[in-house]
Amino acid sequence: MSTGMVLEGGGMRGLYTAGVLDTLLDEEIHIDGMLTVSAGALFGINFASRQKGRALRYNKTYIRDKRYISLRSWLKTGDMVNKDFAYYTVPFSLDVFDEEAFKRSGIAFYATVTNMETGLPEYIHITEPFKQMEALRASGSMPFVSRPIEHNGTKYLDGGVSDSIPLEKAEALGYEKNIVILTRPLDYRKTKPNDFIIDRWYKKYPAFKEALKSRYKNYNDTVEKIIEDEKQGKNFVIRPSMSIPIKRLERDPDKLQAMYDLGVKDATTRIQELKRYLKNAH
């Protein structure tokens, strides 16, 4: 029975996921495929390359570096997270991503993106991360603070707009047991956005605009389904056991560490329960 992993996004809340994943690496948890979104893709890929601590390390090292995330970058390029530094300088030279280890892992890795013309999710199979860096960047490019990313002639943005938690896609791909790692506590639900701002900002992309407007409802419906499936033992969910105030583009290293530490704590607390769940999968 194949095992999948589903990773929610959430900007720097994704350091919670990094903490969980590093714990699972220590425990030699095996999975067959990963369905990831946004920060879940950008940080989660280090699980497949078995680079424990990398996501926390480079974020804490560069989070206050204006070359990484800054208002200046947004005003100059349209991207709050600087493309050249964050997606090319860091993984290619400053804190090198181990692409060969990623390929050896045998994990089928998918990054969710939102097609701006259709407003629908697409799930890009990442096999060569360095060559497919723009697909990963598209998955993690949040609305309003990122320009549309062109990949293979199509414009994309954050996969979380159209499919924030791609559990149904994981199931459709044949993963019968799924570990779902969320970045919000059990009681969190999204609220309705400001339609006026969305209409003005994305008037050239009507389908994307509608996807952004309905995201909150789709997200909340998905969370409810996950809770019901979890009760029936269909999936195994790890989510923050407490709420830590943190911005999507948080620049306080201590808060990044706190999110990571919470992920380690929550995963450690439930690791034996997870092993029992996976043992029953085989």
Side-chain angles (χ1 to χ4, degrees), residues 18 52 70 72 82 93 96 98 154 157 167 186 223 258 265:
K52 181 185 175 184
S70 68
R72 183 179 70 178
N82 187 269
S93 59
V96 179
D98 191 341
T154 303
L157 271 179
L167 177 57
L186 180 62
V223 168
K265 173 180 172 290

Side-chain angles (χ1 to χ4, degrees), residues 10 61 105 129 138 170 186 246:
T61 300
S105 74
L186 180 62
I246 185 170

Side-chain angles (χ1 to χ4, degrees), residues 116-117 198-209:
M116 295 196 69
E117 296 298 332
I198 293 172
D199 284 333
R200 293 292 297 271
W201 201 280
Y202 290 109
K203 58 185 176 183
K204 293 181 181 178
Y205 302 98
F208 180 81
K209 193 172 62 173

Side-chain angles (χ1 to χ4, degrees), residues 7 14 30-31 45 47 58 146 150 170 184 192 201 208 245-246:
L7 305 182
H30 170 79
I31 59 165
I45 200 167
F47 179 85
Y58 77 73
S146 310
E150 190 162 313
R184 295 284 197 178
K192 194 175 186 301
W201 201 280
F208 180 81
I246 185 170

Side-chain angles (χ1 to χ4, degrees), residues 133-149:
M133 192 59 73
E134 289 302 283
L136 289 166
R137 189 165 79 92
S139 183
S141 291
M142 295 179 285
F144 306 112
V145 294
S146 310
R147 290 172 298 172
I149 313 302

Side-chain angles (χ1 to χ4, degrees), residues 243-254:
S243 182
I244 293 179
I246 185 170
K247 299 171 186 171
R248 289 176 74 85
L249 293 176
E250 182 62 60
R251 301 186 71 191
D252 182 344
D254 291 339

